[in-house]
Structures are given as C-alpha cells and as structure tokens.
Amino acid sequence: MHKSLMAAVAALVLATPAWAATRTVTLSLPTMDCPVCPITVKKALTRVPGVSKAEVNFDRRQAVVSFDDAQTSTDALIKATTDAGYPSTVVR
C-alpha cells in the first residue's frame, strides 16, 4: 500500500508542470466586419479549456486573451477563432 501511495503522489507531481503560467496574447482579427462579430469570437475563445479571460475589440479588430499555458496554446486559440469564421494571427 505504501508503494501505491508513493506512485500516486509521483504521478500527480509529474502531471502538474511546474512551469505552467497564465499568459496573455493579443490576436489580430482583420475579418471582423460588424459590431456583433466580437460576440461570436469571445464565445469561441472562452470555450477553449484554460482560457480565463477574453476581451474582443471591434474597432481595433483584436482580442486580448488570458490563458493557462499548461491547458492550451496560442495555436488552439487561433484554431478556435478560425473555426468560428474569423481567422486570427498573433500580434507581435
């Protein structure tokens, strides 16, 4: 029993990356063409596991997204907006 408890603790420690952190990225969404588009984009982004916040600005045609980088990636965010009909790129 002692070995199985140690194995469970080791698995938990190894499954939780020590380097996980909240990141924020800005995405450019040039194809948003109406004031209602940000609703669709925000909904798509907030459905991505790990996203804690998404602010979409129609005038700038950008989204600022905060996410847990252990749960998702910028590629997943780009895929979410693209699948919703609004291809995006990371603003550098």
Side-chain angles (χ1 to χ4, degrees):
M1 179 122 139
H2 180 62
K3 286 183 183 180
S4 63
L5 178 59
M6 287 179 57
V9 170
L12 180 62
V13 169
L14 293 175
T16 308
W19 60 88
T22 299
R23 291 187 48 206
T24 300
V25 67
T26 301
L27 300 175
S28 173
L29 296 142
T31 62
M32 285 198 307
D33 59 0
C34 75
V36 180
C37 294
I39 296 169
T40 303
V41 172
K42 182 173 183 168
K43 192 177 288 188
L45 289 168
T46 57
R47 287 183 177 162
V48 176
V51 171
S52 56
K53 185 176 183 183
E55 295 179 6
V56 184
N57 184 300
F58 173 68
D59 293 330
R60 291 186 177 170
R61 289 176 174 63
Q62 291 183 341
V64 178
V65 187
S66 297
F67 62 97
D68 180 340
D69 67 359
Q71 294 183 12
T72 195
S73 65
T74 55
D75 288 342
L77 302 176
I78 291 169
K79 181 176 179 346
T81 64
T82 301
D83 289 351
Y86 301 94
S88 62
T89 56
V90 175
V91 175
R92 302 207 187 263

Coordinates of all heavy atoms in Angstrom, one line a residue:
M1 N 0.8 -1.2 0.0 CA 0.0 0.0 0.0 C 0.9 1.3 0.0 O 0.5 2.2 -0.6 CB -0.9 0.0 1.2 CG -1.8 1.2 1.3 SD -3.5 0.7 1.3 CE -4.1 1.8 2.4
H2 N 2.0 1.2 0.7 CA 2.9 2.3 0.8 C 3.4 2.7 -0.6 O 3.5 3.8 -1.0 CB 4.0 2.0 1.7 CG 5.0 3.1 1.9 ND1 4.6 4.4 2.3 CD2 6.3 3.2 1.6 CE1 5.7 5.2 2.3 NE2 6.7 4.4 1.9
K3 N 3.7 1.7 -1.4 CA 4.3 1.9 -2.8 C 3.2 2.5 -3.7 O 3.5 3.4 -4.5 CB 4.8 0.6 -3.4 CG 6.1 0.1 -2.8 CD 6.6 -1.1 -3.5 CE 7.8 -1.6 -2.8 NZ 8.3 -2.8 -3.5
S4 N 2.0 2.1 -3.5 CA 0.9 2.6 -4.4 C 0.6 4.1 -4.1 O 0.3 4.9 -4.9 CB -0.4 1.8 -4.3 OG -0.9 1.8 -3.0
L5 N 0.7 4.4 -2.8 CA 0.5 5.8 -2.4 C 1.7 6.7 -3.0 O 1.4 7.8 -3.5 CB 0.5 6.0 -0.9 CG 0.3 7.4 -0.3 CD1 -1.0 8.0 -0.8 CD2 0.3 7.4 1.2
M6 N 2.9 6.2 -2.9 CA 4.0 6.9 -3.4 C 3.9 7.1 -5.0 O 4.2 8.1 -5.5 CB 5.3 6.2 -3.1 CG 5.7 6.4 -1.6 SD 7.2 5.6 -1.1 CE 8.4 6.3 -2.3
A7 N 3.4 6.0 -5.6 CA 3.2 6.1 -7.1 C 2.2 7.1 -7.4 O 2.3 7.9 -8.4 CB 2.9 4.7 -7.6
A8 N 1.1 7.2 -6.6 CA 0.0 8.1 -6.9 C 0.5 9.6 -6.7 O 0.2 10.5 -7.5 CB -1.2 7.9 -6.0
V9 N 1.3 9.8 -5.7 CA 1.8 11.2 -5.4 C 2.8 11.5 -6.6 O 2.8 12.6 -7.1 CB 2.5 11.2 -4.0 CG1 3.3 12.5 -3.9 CG2 1.5 11.1 -3.0
A10 N 3.7 10.6 -6.9 CA 4.6 10.9 -8.0 C 3.9 11.2 -9.3 O 4.3 12.1 -10.0 CB 5.6 9.7 -8.2
A11 N 2.8 10.4 -9.6 CA 2.1 10.7 -10.8 C 1.4 12.1 -10.8 O 1.4 12.8 -11.8 CB 1.0 9.6 -11.0
L12 N 0.9 12.5 -9.7 CA 0.3 13.8 -9.5 C 1.4 14.9 -9.7 O 1.1 15.9 -10.4 CB -0.3 13.9 -8.2 CG -1.0 15.2 -7.9 CD1 -2.2 15.5 -8.9 CD2 -1.6 15.3 -6.5
V13 N 2.5 14.7 -9.1 CA 3.6 15.7 -9.2 C 4.0 15.8 -10.7 O 4.2 16.9 -11.2 CB 4.7 15.4 -8.3 CG1 5.9 16.3 -8.6 CG2 4.3 15.6 -6.8
L14 N 4.2 14.7 -11.3 CA 4.7 14.7 -12.7 C 3.6 15.2 -13.7 O 4.0 15.8 -14.7 CB 5.1 13.3 -13.1 CG 6.4 12.8 -12.4 CD1 6.6 11.4 -12.8 CD2 7.6 13.7 -12.7
A15 N 2.4 15.1 -13.3 CA 1.3 15.5 -14.2 C 1.0 17.0 -14.1 O 0.4 17.6 -15.0 CB 0.0 14.8 -13.9
T16 N 1.6 17.7 -13.1 CA 1.4 19.1 -12.9 C 2.7 19.8 -13.3 O 3.6 19.8 -12.5 CB 0.9 19.4 -11.5 OG1 -0.2 18.6 -11.2 CG2 0.6 20.9 -11.3
P17 N 2.8 20.4 -14.4 CA 4.0 21.1 -14.8 C 4.3 22.3 -13.9 O 3.5 23.1 -13.6 CB 3.8 21.6 -16.2 CG 2.5 20.9 -16.7 CD 1.8 20.5 -15.5
A18 N 5.6 22.4 -13.5 CA 6.0 23.4 -12.6 C 6.1 24.8 -13.4 O 6.0 25.8 -12.8 CB 7.3 23.1 -12.0
W19 N 6.2 24.7 -14.7 CA 6.4 25.9 -15.5 C 5.1 26.5 -16.0 O 5.1 27.4 -16.7 CB 7.3 25.6 -16.6 CG 6.8 24.5 -17.5 CD1 6.0 24.7 -18.6 CD2 7.0 23.1 -17.4 NE1 5.7 23.5 -19.2 CE2 6.3 22.5 -18.5 CE3 7.8 22.3 -16.5 CZ2 6.4 21.1 -18.7 CZ3 7.8 21.0 -16.7 CH2 7.1 20.4 -17.8
A20 N 3.9 25.9 -15.6 CA 2.6 26.4 -16.1 C 2.4 27.8 -15.6 O 2.7 28.1 -14.4 CB 1.5 25.5 -15.6
A21 N 1.9 28.6 -16.4 CA 1.7 30.0 -16.0 C 0.5 30.6 -16.8 O 0.2 30.1 -17.9 CB 2.9 30.8 -16.2
T22 N 0.0 31.7 -16.3 CA -1.0 32.4 -17.1 C -0.3 33.3 -18.1 O 0.6 34.0 -17.7 CB -1.9 33.3 -16.2 OG1 -2.6 32.4 -15.3 CG2 -3.0 34.0 -17.0
R23 N -0.7 33.2 -19.3 CA -0.2 34.0 -20.4 C -1.3 34.9 -21.0 O -2.4 34.5 -20.9 CB 0.4 33.2 -21.5 CG 1.7 32.4 -21.1 CD 2.4 31.7 -22.2 NE 2.5 32.6 -23.4 CZ 2.6 32.1 -24.6 NH1 2.5 30.8 -24.9 NH2 2.8 32.9 -25.6
T24 N -0.8 36.0 -21.6 CA -1.8 36.9 -22.3 C -1.2 37.1 -23.7 O -0.1 37.4 -23.8 CB -2.0 38.2 -21.5 OG1 -2.5 37.9 -20.2 CG2 -2.9 39.1 -22.3
V25 N -2.1 37.0 -24.6 CA -1.7 37.1 -26.0 C -2.8 38.0 -26.7 O -4.0 38.0 -26.3 CB -1.6 35.8 -26.8 CG1 -3.0 35.1 -26.9 CG2 -1.0 35.9 -28.1
T26 N -2.3 38.8 -27.7 CA -3.2 39.6 -28.5 C -3.3 39.0 -29.9 O -2.3 38.7 -30.5 CB -2.7 41.1 -28.6 OG1 -2.6 41.6 -27.3 CG2 -3.6 41.9 -29.4
L27 N -4.5 38.8 -30.3 CA -4.8 38.2 -31.6 C -5.4 39.3 -32.5 O -6.3 40.1 -32.1 CB -5.8 37.1 -31.5 CG -5.4 35.9 -30.7 CD1 -6.6 34.9 -30.6 CD2 -4.2 35.2 -31.2
S28 N -4.9 39.3 -33.8 CA -5.5 40.2 -34.8 C -6.6 39.5 -35.5 O -6.4 38.3 -35.9 CB -4.4 40.6 -35.8 OG -4.9 41.3 -36.8
L29 N -7.7 40.1 -35.7 CA -8.9 39.5 -36.3 C -9.4 40.5 -37.4 O -10.4 41.1 -37.3 CB -10.0 39.3 -35.3 CG -9.6 38.3 -34.2 CD1 -10.2 38.7 -32.9 CD2 -10.1 36.9 -34.6
P30 N -8.7 40.5 -38.5 CA -9.0 41.5 -39.6 C -10.3 41.3 -40.3 O -10.8 42.2 -40.9 CB -7.8 41.4 -40.6 CG -7.3 40.0 -40.3 CD -7.5 39.7 -38.9
T31 N -10.9 40.1 -40.2 CA -12.1 39.9 -40.9 C -13.4 40.2 -40.1 O -14.5 40.0 -40.7 CB -12.2 38.4 -41.4 OG1 -12.2 37.5 -40.3 CG2 -11.0 38.1 -42.4
M32 N -13.2 40.7 -38.9 CA -14.4 41.1 -38.2 C -15.0 42.3 -38.9 O -14.3 43.3 -39.0 CB -14.1 41.4 -36.7 CG -13.9 40.2 -35.8 SD -14.0 40.6 -34.1 CE -12.9 42.0 -33.8
D33 N -16.2 42.2 -39.4 CA -16.7 43.3 -40.2 C -18.0 43.9 -39.7 O -18.6 44.8 -40.3 CB -16.9 42.9 -41.6 CG -17.8 41.7 -41.8 OD1 -18.4 41.2 -40.8 OD2 -18.0 41.3 -43.0
C34 N -18.5 43.5 -38.5 CA -19.7 44.2 -37.9 C -19.5 44.2 -36.4 O -18.8 43.4 -35.8 CB -20.9 43.4 -38.3 SG -21.2 41.9 -37.5
P35 N -20.3 45.0 -35.7 CA -20.2 45.2 -34.3 C -20.6 43.9 -33.5 O -20.4 43.8 -32.3 CB -21.0 46.4 -33.9 CG -21.1 47.1 -35.2 CD -21.1 46.1 -36.3
V36 N -21.3 43.0 -34.2 CA -21.8 41.8 -33.5 C -20.7 40.7 -33.5 O -20.7 39.7 -32.7 CB -23.1 41.3 -34.1 CG1 -23.6 40.0 -33.4 CG2 -24.1 42.4 -34.0
C37 N -19.8 40.8 -34.4 CA -18.7 39.7 -34.6 C -18.0 39.4 -33.3 O -17.7 38.3 -33.0 CB -17.7 40.1 -35.7 SG -18.4 40.2 -37.3
P38 N -17.6 40.4 -32.5 CA -16.9 40.2 -31.2 C -17.6 39.2 -30.3 O -17.0 38.5 -29.5 CB -16.8 41.5 -30.6 CG -16.8 42.5 -31.7 CD -17.7 41.9 -32.7
I39 N -18.9 39.2 -30.3 CA -19.7 38.2 -29.5 C -19.3 36.8 -29.9 O -19.1 35.9 -29.0 CB -21.2 38.5 -29.6 CG1 -21.6 39.9 -29.1 CG2 -22.0 37.4 -28.9 CD1 -23.0 40.3 -29.4
T40 N -19.3 36.5 -31.2 CA -19.0 35.2 -31.7 C -17.6 34.8 -31.3 O -17.3 33.7 -30.9 CB -19.2 35.1 -33.2 OG1 -20.6 35.5 -33.5 CG2 -19.0 33.7 -33.7
V41 N -16.7 35.7 -31.5 CA -15.2 35.5 -31.3 C -15.0 35.2 -29.8 O -14.3 34.3 -29.4 CB -14.4 36.7 -31.8 CG1 -12.9 36.5 -31.3 CG2 -14.5 36.8 -33.3
K42 N -15.6 36.1 -28.9 CA -15.4 35.9 -27.5 C -16.0 34.5 -27.0 O -15.4 33.8 -26.3 CB -16.1 37.0 -26.7 CG -15.9 36.9 -25.2 CD -16.5 38.1 -24.5 CE -16.2 38.0 -23.0 NZ -16.4 39.2 -22.3
K43 N -17.1 34.2 -27.6 CA -17.7 32.9 -27.2 C -16.8 31.7 -27.6 O -16.6 30.8 -26.9 CB -19.1 32.7 -27.9 CG -19.9 31.6 -27.3 CD -21.3 31.5 -28.0 CE -22.2 32.7 -27.4 NZ -23.6 32.6 -27.9
A44 N -16.3 31.8 -28.8 CA -15.4 30.8 -29.3 C -14.1 30.7 -28.4 O -13.7 29.6 -28.1 CB -15.0 31.0 -30.7
L45 N -13.6 31.8 -28.0 CA -12.3 31.8 -27.2 C -12.6 31.3 -25.8 O -11.8 30.5 -25.3 CB -11.7 33.2 -27.2 CG -11.1 33.7 -28.5 CD1 -10.8 35.2 -28.5 CD2 -9.8 32.9 -28.8
T46 N -13.7 31.7 -25.2 CA -13.9 31.3 -23.8 C -14.3 29.9 -23.7 O -14.3 29.3 -22.6 CB -15.0 32.2 -23.1 OG1 -16.2 32.2 -23.9 CG2 -14.5 33.7 -23.0
R47 N -14.7 29.2 -24.8 CA -15.0 27.8 -24.8 C -13.7 26.9 -24.8 O -13.7 25.7 -24.6 CB -15.9 27.4 -25.9 CG -17.3 27.9 -25.7 CD -18.2 27.5 -26.8 NE -19.5 27.9 -26.5 CZ -20.5 27.9 -27.4 NH1 -20.2 27.6 -28.7 NH2 -21.7 28.3 -27.1
V48 N -12.5 27.5 -25.1 CA -11.3 26.8 -25.1 C -10.9 26.5 -23.7 O -10.7 27.5 -22.9 CB -10.2 27.6 -25.8 CG1 -8.9 26.9 -25.8 CG2 -10.6 27.9 -27.3
P49 N -10.7 25.3 -23.3 CA -10.2 25.0 -21.9 C -8.9 25.7 -21.6 O -8.0 25.7 -22.4 CB -10.0 23.4 -21.9 CG -10.8 22.9 -23.1 CD -10.8 24.1 -24.1
G50 N -8.9 26.3 -20.4 CA -7.7 27.0 -20.0 C -7.8 28.5 -20.2 O -7.0 29.3 -19.6
V51 N -8.8 29.0 -21.0 CA -8.9 30.5 -21.2 C -9.7 31.0 -20.0 O -10.7 30.6 -19.6 CB -9.7 30.8 -22.5 CG1 -10.1 32.2 -22.6 CG2 -8.9 30.3 -23.7
S52 N -9.1 32.0 -19.3 CA -9.7 32.7 -18.2 C -10.3 34.0 -18.5 O -11.2 34.4 -17.8 CB -8.6 32.9 -17.1 OG -7.5 33.6 -17.6
K53 N -9.9 34.6 -19.6 CA -10.5 35.9 -20.0 C -10.2 36.2 -21.5 O -9.2 35.9 -22.0 CB -9.8 37.0 -19.1 CG -10.4 38.4 -19.3 CD -9.7 39.3 -18.3 CE -10.2 40.7 -18.4 NZ -9.5 41.7 -17.5
A54 N -11.3 36.7 -22.1 CA -11.1 37.1 -23.5 C -11.9 38.5 -23.7 O -13.0 38.6 -23.4 CB -11.7 36.1 -24.4
E55 N -11.1 39.5 -24.1 CA -11.7 40.8 -24.4 C -11.5 41.0 -25.9 O -10.4 41.0 -26.4 CB -11.0 41.9 -23.6 CG -11.2 41.7 -22.1 CD -10.5 42.8 -21.3 OE1 -9.9 43.8 -21.9 OE2 -10.5 42.7 -20.1
V56 N -12.6 41.3 -26.6 CA -12.6 41.5 -28.1 C -13.0 42.9 -28.4 O -14.0 43.4 -27.9 CB -13.5 40.5 -28.8 CG1 -13.4 40.6 -30.3 CG2 -13.2 39.0 -28.3
N57 N -12.2 43.6 -29.2 CA -12.4 45.0 -29.5 C -12.6 45.1 -31.0 O -11.7 44.8 -31.8 CB -11.2 45.8 -29.1 CG -11.4 47.3 -29.4 OD1 -11.6 47.7 -30.5 ND2 -11.3 48.1 -28.3
F58 N -13.9 45.5 -31.4 CA -14.2 45.6 -32.8 C -13.5 46.7 -33.5 O -13.0 46.4 -34.6 CB -15.7 45.8 -32.9 CG -16.1 46.1 -34.3 CD1 -16.1 45.1 -35.3 CD2 -16.6 47.3 -34.7 CE1 -16.4 45.3 -36.6 CE2 -16.9 47.6 -36.1 CZ -16.8 46.6 -37.0
D59 N -13.3 47.8 -32.9 CA -12.6 48.9 -33.5 C -11.2 48.6 -33.9 O -10.7 49.0 -35.0 CB -12.7 50.2 -32.7 CG -14.1 50.7 -32.5 OD1 -14.9 50.5 -33.5 OD2 -14.4 51.3 -31.5
R60 N -10.5 47.9 -33.0 CA -9.1 47.5 -33.3 C -9.0 46.2 -34.0 O -7.9 45.8 -34.4 CB -8.4 47.4 -31.9 CG -8.2 48.7 -31.3 CD -7.3 48.6 -30.1 NE -7.0 49.9 -29.5 CZ -6.5 50.1 -28.3 NH1 -6.1 49.0 -27.6 NH2 -6.3 51.3 -27.9
R61 N -10.1 45.5 -34.0 CA -10.1 44.1 -34.6 C -9.1 43.2 -34.0 O -8.3 42.6 -34.7 CB -10.0 44.2 -36.2 CG -11.2 44.8 -36.8 CD -11.1 45.0 -38.3 NE -12.4 45.4 -38.9 CZ -13.0 46.6 -38.6 NH1 -12.6 47.4 -37.7 NH2 -14.1 46.9 -39.3
Q62 N -9.2 43.2 -32.7 CA -8.2 42.5 -31.9 C -8.9 41.8 -30.7 O -10.0 42.3 -30.2 CB -7.1 43.3 -31.3 CG -6.1 43.9 -32.3 CD -5.0 44.6 -31.7 OE1 -5.1 45.1 -30.6 NE2 -3.9 44.8 -32.4
A63 N -8.3 40.7 -30.2 CA -8.8 40.0 -29.0 C -7.6 39.9 -28.1 O -6.5 39.5 -28.5 CB -9.3 38.7 -29.3
V64 N -7.7 40.2 -26.8 CA -6.7 40.0 -25.8 C -7.2 38.9 -24.9 O -8.3 38.9 -24.3 CB -6.5 41.3 -24.9 CG1 -5.4 41.0 -23.9 CG2 -6.1 42.5 -25.8
V65 N -6.4 37.8 -24.9 CA -6.8 36.5 -24.3 C -5.8 36.1 -23.2 O -4.6 36.1 -23.5 CB -6.9 35.4 -25.3 CG1 -7.5 34.1 -24.7 CG2 -7.7 35.8 -26.6
S66 N -6.3 35.8 -22.0 CA -5.5 35.3 -20.9 C -5.8 33.8 -20.8 O -7.0 33.4 -20.8 CB -5.8 36.0 -19.6 OG -5.5 37.4 -19.7
F67 N -4.8 33.0 -20.7 CA -5.0 31.6 -20.6 C -3.9 30.9 -19.9 O -2.8 31.4 -19.7 CB -5.1 31.0 -22.1 CG -3.8 31.2 -22.9 CD1 -2.9 30.1 -23.0 CD2 -3.6 32.4 -23.5 CE1 -1.7 30.3 -23.7 CE2 -2.4 32.5 -24.3 CZ -1.5 31.5 -24.4
D68 N -4.2 29.7 -19.4 CA -3.2 28.8 -18.7 C -2.5 28.0 -19.8 O -3.1 27.2 -20.5 CB -4.0 27.9 -17.8 CG -3.1 26.9 -17.0 OD1 -1.9 26.7 -17.4 OD2 -3.6 26.4 -16.0
D69 N -1.2 28.3 -19.9 CA -0.4 27.7 -20.9 C -0.2 26.2 -20.7 O 0.4 25.5 -21.6 CB 0.9 28.4 -21.2 CG 1.9 28.3 -20.1 OD1 1.6 27.7 -19.0 OD2 3.0 28.9 -20.3
A70 N -0.6 25.6 -19.6 CA -0.5 24.2 -19.3 C -1.7 23.5 -19.9 O -1.7 22.3 -20.1 CB -0.4 23.9 -17.9
Q71 N -2.8 24.3 -20.2 CA -4.0 23.7 -20.7 C -4.3 24.0 -22.1 O -5.1 23.3 -22.8 CB -5.2 24.2 -19.9 CG -5.2 23.8 -18.4 CD -6.4 24.3 -17.7 OE1 -7.4 24.8 -18.3 NE2 -6.4 24.1 -16.4
T72 N -3.7 25.1 -22.7 CA -4.0 25.4 -24.1 C -2.8 26.2 -24.6 O -1.8 26.4 -23.9 CB -5.3 26.2 -24.2 OG1 -5.7 26.2 -25.6 CG2 -5.2 27.6 -23.7
S73 N -2.9 26.5 -25.9 CA -1.8 27.2 -26.6 C -2.4 28.3 -27.5 O -3.6 28.3 -27.8 CB -1.0 26.2 -27.4 OG -1.9 25.7 -28.4
T74 N -1.5 29.1 -28.0 CA -1.9 30.1 -29.0 C -2.5 29.5 -30.2 O -3.4 30.0 -30.9 CB -0.8 31.1 -29.3 OG1 0.3 30.4 -29.8 CG2 -0.4 32.0 -28.2
D75 N -1.9 28.3 -30.6 CA -2.4 27.6 -31.8 C -3.9 27.2 -31.6 O -4.7 27.3 -32.5 CB -1.6 26.4 -32.1 CG -0.2 26.7 -32.6 OD1 0.0 27.8 -33.1 OD2 0.7 25.8 -32.6
A76 N -4.2 26.8 -30.4 CA -5.6 26.4 -30.1 C -6.5 27.6 -30.1 O -7.7 27.5 -30.6 CB -5.7 25.7 -28.7
L77 N -6.1 28.7 -29.7 CA -6.9 30.0 -29.7 C -7.1 30.4 -31.2 O -8.2 30.7 -31.6 CB -6.2 31.1 -29.0 CG -5.8 30.8 -27.5 CD1 -5.1 32.0 -26.9 CD2 -7.1 30.5 -26.7
I78 N -6.0 30.3 -32.0 CA -6.2 30.6 -33.4 C -7.2 29.7 -34.1 O -8.0 30.1 -34.9 CB -4.8 30.6 -34.1 CG1 -4.0 31.8 -33.6 CG2 -4.9 30.6 -35.6 CD1 -2.5 31.8 -34.0
K79 N -7.1 28.4 -33.8 CA -8.0 27.4 -34.3 C -9.4 27.7 -33.9 O -10.3 27.6 -34.8 CB -7.6 26.0 -33.9 CG -8.5 24.9 -34.5 CD -8.1 23.6 -34.1 CE -8.9 22.4 -34.6 NZ -10.2 22.7 -35.1
A80 N -9.6 28.1 -32.7 CA -11.0 28.5 -32.2 C -11.6 29.6 -33.0 O -12.8 29.6 -33.4 CB -11.0 28.8 -30.7
T81 N -10.8 30.7 -33.2 CA -11.4 31.8 -33.9 C -11.6 31.5 -35.4 O -12.6 31.9 -36.0 CB -10.5 33.1 -33.8 OG1 -9.2 32.8 -34.4 CG2 -10.3 33.5 -32.4
T82 N -10.6 30.7 -36.0 CA -10.8 30.3 -37.4 C -12.0 29.4 -37.6 O -12.7 29.6 -38.5 CB -9.5 29.6 -37.8 OG1 -8.4 30.5 -37.6 CG2 -9.6 29.2 -39.3
D83 N -12.2 28.5 -36.7 CA -13.4 27.6 -36.7 C -14.7 28.4 -36.6 O -15.7 28.0 -37.1 CB -13.3 26.5 -35.7 CG -12.2 25.5 -36.0 OD1 -11.6 25.5 -37.1 OD2 -11.9 24.6 -35.1
A84 N -14.6 29.5 -35.9 CA -15.8 30.4 -35.7 C -16.0 31.3 -36.9 O -17.0 32.0 -37.0 CB -15.7 31.2 -34.5
G85 N -15.1 31.2 -37.9 CA -15.2 32.0 -39.1 C -14.4 33.3 -39.1 O -14.5 34.1 -40.0
Y86 N -13.5 33.4 -38.1 CA -12.6 34.6 -38.0 C -11.2 34.2 -37.8 O -10.7 34.2 -36.7 CB -13.1 35.5 -36.8 CG -14.5 35.9 -37.0 CD1 -15.5 35.1 -36.4 CD2 -14.9 37.0 -37.7 CE1 -16.9 35.5 -36.5 CE2 -16.2 37.4 -37.9 CZ -17.2 36.6 -37.3 OH -18.5 36.9 -37.4
P87 N -10.5 34.0 -38.9 CA -9.0 33.7 -38.8 C -8.3 34.7 -38.1 O -8.6 35.9 -38.3 CB -8.6 33.6 -40.3 CG -9.8 33.4 -41.1 CD -10.9 34.1 -40.3
S88 N -7.3 34.3 -37.3 CA -6.6 35.3 -36.5 C -5.1 35.0 -36.5 O -4.7 33.9 -36.9 CB -7.0 35.3 -35.0 OG -6.8 34.0 -34.4
T89 N -4.3 36.0 -36.2 CA -2.9 35.8 -36.0 C -2.4 36.5 -34.8 O -3.1 37.4 -34.3 CB -2.1 36.5 -37.2 OG1 -2.5 37.8 -37.3 CG2 -2.4 35.7 -38.5
V90 N -1.3 36.1 -34.2 CA -0.7 36.7 -33.0 C -0.1 38.1 -33.4 O 0.6 38.2 -34.4 CB 0.3 35.8 -32.4 CG1 1.0 36.5 -31.2 CG2 -0.3 34.5 -32.0
V91 N -0.4 39.1 -32.6 CA 0.2 40.4 -32.8 C 1.5 40.4 -32.1 O 1.6 40.0 -30.9 CB -0.7 41.5 -32.2 CG1 0.0 42.8 -32.2 CG2 -2.1 41.5 -32.8
R92 N 2.5 40.7 -32.8 CA 3.9 40.7 -32.2 C 4.4 42.1 -32.0 O 4.1 43.0 -32.6 CB 4.8 40.0 -33.2 CG 4.3 38.5 -33.3 CD 5.4 37.6 -33.7 NE 4.9 36.3 -34.0 CZ 4.8 35.3 -33.1 NH1 5.2 35.4 -31.9 NH2 4.3 34.1 -33.5

